[in-house]
Amino acid sequence: MNCPHTWFSTELRGGKRLLRRRLRDVLRPAPKHGRALAAIMAALALCAGALVACRSGSGEATAYIVMDTQYYDDRGSVLEIPQIAGDDSPDAQAINAALLERKAAYQVYMDDPFQSGTWCEVAAFPVTTERYLNLALLENVYPSYGTDGDLYAWVYDRQEGRSVTVEEALDLAGTTEDTLRDAVAEHLASGELSLPLDEDSFSIRGFRIGEDNDVTFYLQGANVDGAEGMDPWLGLYTWNQGSLHRYQETISSDVDTFVPAELVDVMDPPLWCQWRTMGAPADGFVVTRPLALWAPTTAYLGLDPASLEGVLYDAALNLRTSEPGSADLCLPRVTVVGSYADGNATHYLCTLHRTYYYDFLLLRGANQGGGADYAVFTVEDTGDGFAVTNAVDGGDDMSPGAFYQSQGAPADLCAQLDAAYESEGMPILLRTFPADELLPLYLSRCFLAPVTAENQNMEAAAQTFMDTLPVTARGEALTAAFGADVWERLTLSFTQARTASLRTANLDPDTGEESPDGTPVCVTDGDEWRVDLTVDGTQAGHFSVTNAAGPWTLSRGLVLDI
């Protein structure tokens, strides 16, 4: 509603200066016949002043940002969901509801981290200024291709208690949507390959308002499909005062966090984008993997760790292999193609092949992969065995001879190896153990060994089941047969009923079910152990536990033998 503006109309705006001027004019001495009117006007002005004071009080910035969800697991999933607190305005509640909708889209990654072969990364970037609350979520699902991710953003004016629109942000920045679109198009066209912008893919994903009303826009846009033979890629950009920046996450310590980490509100525990400077939160990771694998060293496999084959294998295992404590398995193989003496040491020129089994313990099986490059190992004879004193690899971007020569090998030997590589193949002087021999050996050591202090998973699964028995019908039968103290007198023993095995199967990537048209993967079938329950030496019953689905769980319920 547009009200007429007159000096005698008391508007609920204008500030204290205008109010003082009104009061001064109203309270100026009036002719005698107008004193009653002046008194009335003064009273009205004071009432209006009270209303203005109430309005100013309600506009104080009371809203602030809190974290509803901070979830991090050892699968790699990140889920951070902020909320606005301290303000129950309709716009604040609408933003909170929209954020919870984003949480719901990724809830399955918290409820069932291994429901598929993917993991999510939803990183929050809350930025608070004196006037504005800036909230942004950068979302990705990995493995991914063709996108820098998706972004959702909201800005809340906590003085006026409302959301800020894109149109208002454009006006505040003195720019237009066409200008922002042209900036992205120019960036793509000026690249190493000049690519046109796919106009339909461009969008303003949101914005951030900093101090002094400095506006940064979040933009998205892809190159045209097939342009210059390039696949379309949906990129994310930030635009500020005419300068465009392409977001590109790196795996270095200087990871691009989209919003500069120094601007992001400091939370406790710290947010994902702050970890590299503040450290990951203590006890912040949810353990989702059923069991961390033991490193497949020669000592663990029962091989001779002091033999030449053993020391080369162990040295290769320590070069760019899986991270300790993960559910991935790496089995390297070293092939020696040449050597030369250097004082008391011998330099072995090798090719190095690694066989990877990803997510080895999971229901979906071990997705097998591999890779090869060149390596040089320096070995000394210790008298009662061998020891590797230096190991270098990474020569996968050059010829084998060029890599060996870069590590100090004689030029003539390197030339001979390159010539052999180009013709009939390099000589094989020695080979360490192949993966297909090591894998059954590893399985037998890792899964089929008797229950020990280091391997309590079967016992834990059995005990969990036993803890539920007293209130069941079978538990009551045991109490009736052996007395109320039966739970203190029983013992458990384990016998292997089915061995772990590795096989190839075609699995549907979405459901994990075997399907003729599915993706070929390497599947690990788990063990099954029979658990016999005895009381004072008397057989009372038996049940079974298995790790076929990853974690050790009950596979067959209790059968009473009494």
Side-chain angles (χ1 to χ4, degrees):
M1 176 178 178
N2 294 320
C3 298
H5 177 84
T6 73
W7 191 250
F8 299 103
S9 62
T10 303
E11 303 171 271
L12 301 184
R13 60 186 178 89
K16 296 180 180 178
R17 178 180 299 177
L18 183 57
L19 179 59
R20 284 197 298 270
R21 292 177 63 186
R22 289 177 184 146
L23 291 174
R24 182 192 63 199
D25 291 341
V26 169
L27 297 176
R28 181 183 295 136
K32 292 181 179 180
H33 63 272
R35 287 180 179 175
L37 177 61
I40 294 172
M41 294 294 290
L44 291 174
L46 290 173
C47 291
L51 289 173
V52 171
C54 290
R55 171 69 181 223
S56 300
S58 65
E60 293 179 358
T62 59
Y64 58 98
I65 297 174
V66 297
M67 294 304 296
D68 170 86
T69 301
Q70 285 184 258
Y71 172 85
Y72 315 101
D73 66 32
D74 56 358
R75 169 72 165 164
S77 284
V78 172
L79 184 58
E80 297 175 332
I81 302 294
Q83 292 277 274
I84 297 175
D87 191 328
D88 59 357
S89 73
D91 280 11
Q93 298 310 306
I95 291 174
N96 285 344
L99 285 161
L100 293 178
E101 283 184 8
R102 303 313 308 154
K103 175 183 175 180
Y106 296 94
Q107 183 71 38
V108 67
Y109 288 96
M110 291 191 290
D111 297 340
D112 185 8
F114 291 101
Q115 44 83 29
S116 72
T118 64
W119 61 98
C120 74
E121 187 178 282
V122 181
F125 299 94
V127 177
T128 299
T129 69
E130 183 177 353
R131 178 166 182 172
Y132 298 103
L133 300 181
N134 301 274
L135 303 104
L137 297 180
L138 180 58
E139 303 180 4
N140 253 311
V141 173
Y142 297 103
S144 66
Y145 181 80
T147 178
D148 290 345
D150 207 353
L151 190 131
Y152 294 83
W154 303 263
V155 175
Y156 185 72
D157 185 335
R158 55 187 188 148
Q159 287 185 7
E160 297 190 3
R162 65 178 184 85
S163 298
V164 183
T165 67
V166 173
E167 291 74 21
E168 290 172 322
L170 289 169
D171 289 342
L172 195 60
T175 189
T176 65
E177 182 175 348
D178 289 340
T179 300
L180 301 181
R181 182 187 294 105
D182 291 344
V184 175
E186 182 179 348
H187 175 85
L188 283 169
S190 63
E192 185 176 349
L193 290 177
S194 180
L195 302 173
L197 171 67
D198 180 356
E199 295 284 341
D200 293 337
S201 70
F202 174 82
S203 64
I204 300 176
R205 300 300 302 171
F207 54 92
R208 177 178 80 249
I209 304 179
E211 300 294 350
D212 301 322
N213 291 330
D214 182 39
V215 183
T216 299
F217 285 95
Y218 306 138
L219 311 175
Q220 194 173 54
N223 58 287
V224 173
D225 186 3
E228 299 289 342
M230 300 291 289
D231 292 337
W233 196 282
L234 194 61
L236 284 173
Y237 305 85
T238 57
W239 182 98
N240 178 268
Q241 300 184 13
S243 177
L244 189 78
H245 171 67
R246 163 75 186 278
Y247 163 74
Q248 192 141 18
E249 186 179 11
T250 68
I251 58 174
S252 71
S253 58
D254 297 323
V255 59
D256 186 349
T257 64
F258 198 74
V259 177
E262 63 271 15
L263 298 180
V264 177
D265 295 350
V266 176
M267 297 295 181
D268 185 18
L271 296 172
W272 176 86
C273 68
Q274 298 164 331
W275 285 6
R276 74 184 195 279
T277 56
M278 303 180 67
D283 303 322
F285 291 99
V286 175
V287 178
T288 60
R289 298 187 184 276
L291 176 68
L293 295 176
W294 290 272
T297 62
T298 53
Y300 182 80
L301 297 175
L303 303 173
D304 183 1
S307 66
L308 181 57
E309 292 89 345
V311 297
L312 290 175
Y313 170 86
D314 281 340
L317 188 66
N318 291 326
L319 287 174
R320 292 198 298 170
T321 58
S322 304
E323 294 184 5
S326 78
D328 297 337
L329 176 67
C330 176
L331 298 174
R333 181 173 186 174
V334 179
T335 299
V336 178
V337 297
S339 65
Y340 65 97
D342 182 9
N344 295 328
T346 301
H347 300 283
Y348 288 91
L349 313 182
C350 308
T351 62
L352 174 57
H353 185 275
R354 299 176 179 86
T355 301
Y356 289 100
Y357 301 92
Y358 302 103
D359 293 337
F360 192 78
L361 296 176
L362 304 180
L363 176 62
R364 300 182 188 281
N367 295 289
Q368 187 172 337
D373 54 13
Y374 314 116
V376 176
F377 297 97
T378 302
V379 181
E380 291 186 357
D381 189 338
T382 62
D384 55 354
F386 298 90
V388 173
T389 58
N390 191 43
V392 179
D393 77 334
D396 48 346
D397 293 330
M398 59 183 78
S399 72
F403 173 72
Y404 300 143
Q405 192 166 355
S406 72
Q407 299 303 312
D412 57 343
L413 175 58
C414 296
Q416 293 173 16
L417 292 175
D418 262 347
Y421 175 76
E422 295 294 338
S423 56
E424 71 277 5
M426 289 185 289
I428 298 174
L429 305 183
L430 179 146
R431 268 185 175 163
T432 61
F433 328 100
D436 58 358
E437 292 181 11
L438 294 179
L439 186 60
L441 185 60
Y442 183 79
L443 286 169
S444 68
R445 294 266 169 166
C446 191
F447 295 108
L448 312 185
V451 177
T452 66
E454 291 75 32
N455 180 13
Q456 298 180 12
N457 296 286
M458 291 174 285
E459 287 184 330
Q463 190 59 53
T464 298
F465 173 65
M466 291 299 300
D467 290 342
T468 67
L469 275 181
V471 296
T472 66
R474 288 181 173 81
E476 293 174 356
L478 289 171
T479 301
F482 296 100
D485 62 344
V486 62
W487 310 108
E488 288 74 40
R489 296 159 52 208
L490 61 83
T491 58
L492 305 180
S493 60
F494 293 80
T495 305
Q496 189 172 1
R498 181 165 56 86
T499 61
S501 63
L502 197 69
R503 62 186 177 88
T504 301
N506 295 328
L507 298 186
D508 185 299
D510 295 323
T511 66
E513 302 295 330
E514 296 194 26
S515 167
D517 300 324
T519 304
V521 297
C522 203
V523 177
T524 306
D525 288 323
D527 301 336
E528 186 171 80
W529 290 70
R530 171 174 164 144
V531 185
D532 288 296
L533 188 156
T534 58
V535 181
D536 299 335
T538 301
Q539 178 73 20
H542 62 276
F543 59 95
S544 297
V545 292
T546 182
N547 65 351
W552 286 89
T553 58
L554 182 74
S555 59
R556 302 173 191 271
L558 178 64
V559 177
L560 294 176
D561 295 327
I562 53 177

